Amino acid sequence: MTGLAPELDDKAVLAIAESYRNDPQQLIACLLDIQEASRRSYVEPRWAAVAAKAMGVPVGRVYEILTFYSMFSTEPRGRWVIEVCGSSPCLFNGSGELRGWIAGALGVTGGETTPDGLFTLAACGCVGFCAGAPAVKIGDAAYTVSGPAEAERLIRSFREDDPASREVFLCRE
Amino acid sequence: MQGVRILKEGADVPDPLDAGAYLARGGYSAWRKALEAGPEAVVGELKAAKLLGRGGAAYPAGNKWGQLLEIEASPKHIVCNADEGEPGTFKDRFIMERTPFRLIEGMAIAGLVFGSETGYIYVRGEYRRVQAGLLRAFASARRAGLLGRDILGSGRPFDIALVSGAGAYVCGENSALLNSTQGLAGRPRIKPPHLAEVGLFGAPTLVNNVETLANVPPVVSMGGKAFLEIGHPDSGGTKLVCLSGHVARPGVYEVPLGSVTLRDAVYSPELGGGMKGGGRLKFLHLGGQSGAIAHPGQLDTPYSYSDLRKAGLSVGSGAVVALDETVPILDYLAAVARFFVHESCGKCCPCRDGNPAVLDKLLELADPGRAGPETLEALKSLAFVMTEASFCGLGRTATAALRSAWKAFPEEFGRNAA
């Protein structure tokens, strides 16, 4: 895998834990931030151990959280995890087609990471944008597109780090 | 029926995250009233209002508050359930994004009633953007004196901490939510003891849904009786209904309880606006994945807790997913079953092993080469065991859609199973 290498070191992990005042009640939020800061959408077990120590919780509890909650991965994924909503309001409003368009734009089938390490195509449960169905969650926002050309444009906006040109695809209500 | 705005009042202001503007519009007048009236009076108004819990279980909020008030202990915790993971439900997000201060005021009133200095709001991990907005709203509220050590010069402290989930539907169950709020895996607890007695960190705890807490300031402001009169004799106020699926106008709508029928919800030009693309309605899935399926013959049922319950249906979370005749019922139920396969936490056998078995039997039933009468028998017995023997509500209600759809569309179940 080339391109985006994980850049997090122990010091950065400790800084994230510190931003939550090492409060064990904020462990989940802290791990989400670590995952985001990894640039590869995952939590390296070593980082988890460092955070556990800083927050004074057993390492096993951190692993339990990483495996219990579906937003976490302990394996590197793409910088952007593209999650197509598979819940019924989206599923019966064309989420299969939407998935196909995005897969085409990425050149992958599913569950895979693009060779440049930028994208992983995945599925997820309801993201709460049923009125804009079918929805796809990328980062912390939900988008929708109505054809392969739009899917290309949406993906390009992430590839070229151009947030302004993806605004138009945000799910509206 | 239209025009009544309680929860949507103020939803269109240009500055929804500005606490000063909320205060200038009359915000926190309910909090002031609650401070003067005292805890018993507030609980009395909630009881008179017949405000039913808006998260899905429809437990009377006044009773829940009353029970916690009677418990003598300190501290008591206030927790807001904002783990809106129910497919087809997006009204809590609407409140958190558009009218966050009504929710904050509702939690602050709970803080007054129970003498709590800290409230927690547990927001699902998928709503990171909503969380960021809420944190801005909290900061604005602190600057305006609506949260903090001394609310509006009263000397009364209250503040709210935000806790994030990370993708687990079961955390919408209140005891699982409290475990997750403590930074643990979100598995449900054995009850009793009830959360009012042994809740967050073992202390007595109030857990209410976002929409329930957002209704508290209006109840206190207008009084329980007036609130009741807006809704149904069995349940006061309005309900935020989330319309999705194949309706022409999906979105969040506010309707006084009992004022519209299911038909109105789908076809009224001011609500669903009919089925899109000229499709014909086949069924509604009400209240979330754990809710029952309504067939077109039930469209004249009024949208109220008791009328829907009598019809074997439920308000639940407020989800109304309307689907047209292009959707085979077995495909739909397989999608519901896949959802529960994924979301079962694995703690108990009936739910952990029952949901995959249900999915397997549904796929079998859709296949003329594999289905037989024994498939139907197996499905029936699985649904029974899961409903009776599952540990928490997730497993107990996972087959509600299946059981109701079977009654509504027996021919589609029987087609391959003769």
Side-chain angles (χ1 to χ4, degrees), chain A residues 20 24-29 32-33 61 64-65 68-72 87-89 91-93 126-131 137 140-141 170 173, chain B residues 87-88 90 93 120 124-129 162 164-168 180-187 244-246 250 276 289 327 332 335:
Chain A
Y20 290 101
Q25 200 181 354
Q26 294 293 343
L27 185 54
I28 293 171
L32 283 174
D33 282 1
R61 203 172 110 195
E64 186 187 20
I65 283 174
F68 182 84
Y69 294 97
S70 63
M71 284 173 72
F72 291 117
S87 284
S88 56
L91 190 63
F92 296 97
N93 260 319
C126 185
V127 295
F129 286 85
C130 320
K137 182 171 166 283
D140 63 1
L170 282 170
E173 287 154 322
Chain B
F90 38 101
R93 182 169 61 77
Y120 298 89
R124 66 189 303 225
E126 290 85 346
Y127 282 0
R128 288 295 265 181
R129 196 170 268 218
L162 189 146
S164 178
S180 192
T181 304
Q182 290 179 205
L184 307 171
R187 293 196 188 85
S244 70
H246 295 153
K276 69 175 177 187
Q289 298 289 284
V327 179
Y332 186 81

Side-chain angles (χ1 to χ4, degrees), chain B residues 24-104:
Chain B
R25 292 195 303 274
Y28 266 59
S29 55
W31 183 87
R32 286 193 175 97
K33 199 172 164 187
L35 179 64
E36 258 178 48
E40 284 81 11
V42 171
V43 171
E45 295 300 339
L46 285 175
K47 285 183 177 168
K50 296 190 183 173
L51 171 64
L52 302 184
R54 300 292 198 246
Y59 190 76
N63 293 4
K64 195 183 258 190
W65 286 46
Q67 286 150 13
L68 185 60
L69 193 58
E70 279 174 19
I71 293 170
E72 281 188 33
S74 182
K76 294 175 183 174
H77 293 303
I78 313 296
V79 178
C80 173
N81 182 342
D83 189 53
E84 182 170 63
E86 194 63 66
T89 311
F90 38 101
K91 45 95 185 173
D92 293 340
R93 182 169 61 77
F94 181 93
I95 291 171
M96 290 187 279
E97 289 181 336
R98 307 280 284 275
T99 60
F101 296 109
R102 190 174 290 120
L103 168 63
I104 291 170

Side-chain angles (χ1 to χ4, degrees), chain B residues 3-317:
Chain B
V4 176
R5 288 165 74 89
I6 295 177
L7 296 176
K8 278 203 164 187
E9 172 64 35
D12 300 319
V13 298
D15 47 6
L17 302 183
D18 180 351
Y22 179 71
L23 199 55
R25 292 195 303 274
Y28 266 59
S29 55
W31 183 87
R32 286 193 175 97
K33 199 172 164 187
L35 179 64
E36 258 178 48
E40 284 81 11
V42 171
V43 171
E45 295 300 339
L46 285 175
K47 285 183 177 168
K50 296 190 183 173
L51 171 64
L52 302 184
R54 300 292 198 246
Y59 190 76
N63 293 4
K64 195 183 258 190
W65 286 46
Q67 286 150 13
L68 185 60
L69 193 58
E70 279 174 19
I71 293 170
E72 281 188 33
S74 182
K76 294 175 183 174
H77 293 303
I78 313 296
V79 178
C80 173
N81 182 342
D83 189 53
E84 182 170 63
E86 194 63 66
T89 311
F90 38 101
K91 45 95 185 173
D92 293 340
R93 182 169 61 77
F94 181 93
I95 291 171
M96 290 187 279
E97 289 181 336
R98 307 280 284 275
T99 60
F101 296 109
R102 190 174 290 120
L103 168 63
I104 291 170
E105 186 175 355
M107 290 183 73
I109 291 172
L112 279 181
V113 169
F114 302 110
S116 310
E117 298 188 11
T118 308
Y120 298 89
I121 179 163
Y122 180 93
V123 187
R124 66 189 303 225
E126 290 85 346
Y127 282 0
R128 288 295 265 181
R129 196 170 268 218
V130 179
Q131 294 175 5
L134 276 178
L135 289 175
R136 281 172 57 202
F138 294 163
S140 180
R142 283 176 202 124
R143 284 193 300 273
L146 305 186
L147 289 175
R149 296 304 311 162
D150 176 17
I151 295 179
L152 296 176
S154 65
R156 301 294 293 257
F158 186 74
D159 212 321
I160 302 175
L162 189 146
V163 180
S164 178
Y169 171 78
V170 72
C171 288
E173 197 276 339
N174 285 341
S175 69
L177 182 136
L178 292 188
N179 281 343
S180 192
T181 304
Q182 290 179 205
L184 307 171
R187 293 196 188 85
R189 301 178 183 173
I190 289 178
K191 287 183 277 188
H194 291 288
L195 304 179
E197 296 162 58
V198 182
L200 190 67
F201 296 113
T205 302
L206 176 81
V207 189
N208 273 148
N209 169 260
V210 170
E211 188 182 349
T212 312
L213 286 164
N215 268 306
V216 170
V219 167
V220 172
S221 282
M222 71 176 80
K225 190 167 169 287
F227 187 87
L228 178 63
E229 280 165 8
I230 287 168
H232 186 275
D234 292 342
S235 51
T238 61
K239 178 79 190 82
L240 292 181
V241 178
C242 310
L243 289 178
S244 70
H246 295 153
V247 289
R249 287 161 37 92
V252 178
Y253 295 93
E254 179 165 28
V255 295
L257 282 159
S259 71
V260 301
T261 62
L262 293 176
R263 188 185 305 283
D264 296 328
V266 175
Y267 292 102
S268 160
E270 287 148 54
L271 299 171
M275 300 297 282
K276 69 175 177 187
R280 279 182 53 173
L281 177 73
K282 179 167 177 173
F283 63 90
L284 300 174
H285 197 178
L286 297 180
Q289 298 289 284
S290 56
I293 300 273
H295 58 82
Q298 294 175 301
L299 280 176
D300 291 317
T301 312
Y303 194 86
S304 80
Y305 286 92
S306 50
D307 290 295
L308 288 175
R309 193 168 49 242
K310 273 180 241 155
L313 304 167
S314 62
V315 168
S317 66

